[in-house]
Amino acid sequence: KQEVTQIPAALSVPEGENLVLNCSFTDSAIYNLQWFRQDPGKGLTSLLLIQSSQREQTSGRLNASLDKSSGRSTLYIAASQPGDSATYLCAVMYNNNDMRFGAGTRLTVKP
Amino acid sequence: DAGVIQSPRHEVTEMGQEVTLRCKPISGHDYLFWYRQTMMRGLELLIYFNNNVPIDDSGMPEDRFSAKMPNASFSTLKIQPSEPRDSAVYFCASRSRYSGANVLTFGAGSRLTVL
């Protein structure tokens, strides 16, 4: 069964702290993995996409890594800001276009 | 591009009524996906289309749900008759297989409440 798990479910940190969000998946035969951000009452915004052949992707203060063999991905956020507060979802796409989402990590960055 | 456009943004209806949700994908995108998000089950794929053809509808909960894509720029998700347990946020997303990144772009969602 293709499951995606995100830990922790919620995280609260003071502004300026570096943090790591975790994503694990049971089926390592993935096509790609994507990290999304969702603000309350809004849709999902794509942050980073890692192809199955890649090990990491970076965009500004965000860095996502992928370890297919262990079924894990991490999203690293450097120097967190209150504007980073949102729910972060990890999504794994398989070759049949089936994209499985984790339940998300709700991040709060306190000023 | 205005992105993926969904309507209505909010719908409140009574049990038994027909609900139609609409989606306009990004121009040039040949894949369109319908997702449902609830607190209990998170994001679930309902159905997806490739070049206007339904490819996988195994996520559609039951016969009360139907989806169509009459052309490349429009899709509908219909629930008839609606039930309170259908209350959720329904997202439409699109992507292009010609995009090297294969990034999935989501609409803002349609929040459905069935009383």
Side-chain angles (χ1 to χ4, degrees), chain B residues 14-113:
Chain B
E14 293 188 345
M15 183 173 63
Q17 296 298 306
E18 178 179 294
V19 173
T20 300
L21 308 179
R22 299 172 180 80
C23 174
K24 181 180 187 304
I26 291 175
S27 177
H29 280 192
D30 50 352
Y31 283 89
L32 183 141
F33 302 78
W34 281 101
Y35 286 89
R36 176 171 68 175
Q37 186 177 39
T38 61
M39 289 291 292
M40 291 295 294
R41 299 173 69 91
L43 266 163
E44 303 173 281
L45 176 65
L46 300 177
I47 184 173
Y48 80 89
F49 296 82
N50 178 218
N51 292 323
N52 314 338
V53 176
I55 302 299
D56 184 353
D57 65 354
S58 59
M60 296 285 262
E62 48 199 275
D63 293 344
R64 297 184 298 105
F65 285 69
S66 63
K68 294 182 180 179
M69 192 165 186
N71 57 61
S73 59
F74 184 66
S75 177
T76 59
L77 178 67
K78 186 174 291 187
I79 308 172
Q80 167 62 21
S82 58
E83 297 181 3
R85 61 192 168 120
D86 301 331
S87 298
V89 181
Y90 291 81
F91 287 102
C92 175
S94 70
R95 73 175 180 91
S96 167
R97 69 184 174 101
Y98 297 108
S99 164
N102 282 307
V103 172
L104 196 61
T105 303
F106 279 76
S110 293
R111 181 176 296 276
L112 172 65
T113 303

Side-chain angles (χ1 to χ4, degrees), chain A residues 31-32 34 36 38 41-46 49 51 89 93 96-99 101-103, chain B residues 9 31 33 35 37 43 45 48 56 91 95 100-109 111:
Chain A
Y31 184 68
N32 64 46
Q34 201 164 346
F36 291 88
Q38 185 174 29
K42 300 289 180 62
L44 282 70
T45 300
S46 179
L49 181 144
Q51 301 288 359
L89 294 108
M93 179 173 278
N96 60 355
N97 276 302
D98 187 4
M99 181 173 266
F101 284 81
Chain B
R9 290 295 314 278
Y31 283 89
F33 302 78
Y35 286 89
Q37 186 177 39
L43 266 163
L45 176 65
Y48 80 89
D56 184 353
F91 287 102
R95 73 175 180 91
N102 282 307
V103 172
L104 196 61
T105 303
F106 279 76
R111 181 176 296 276

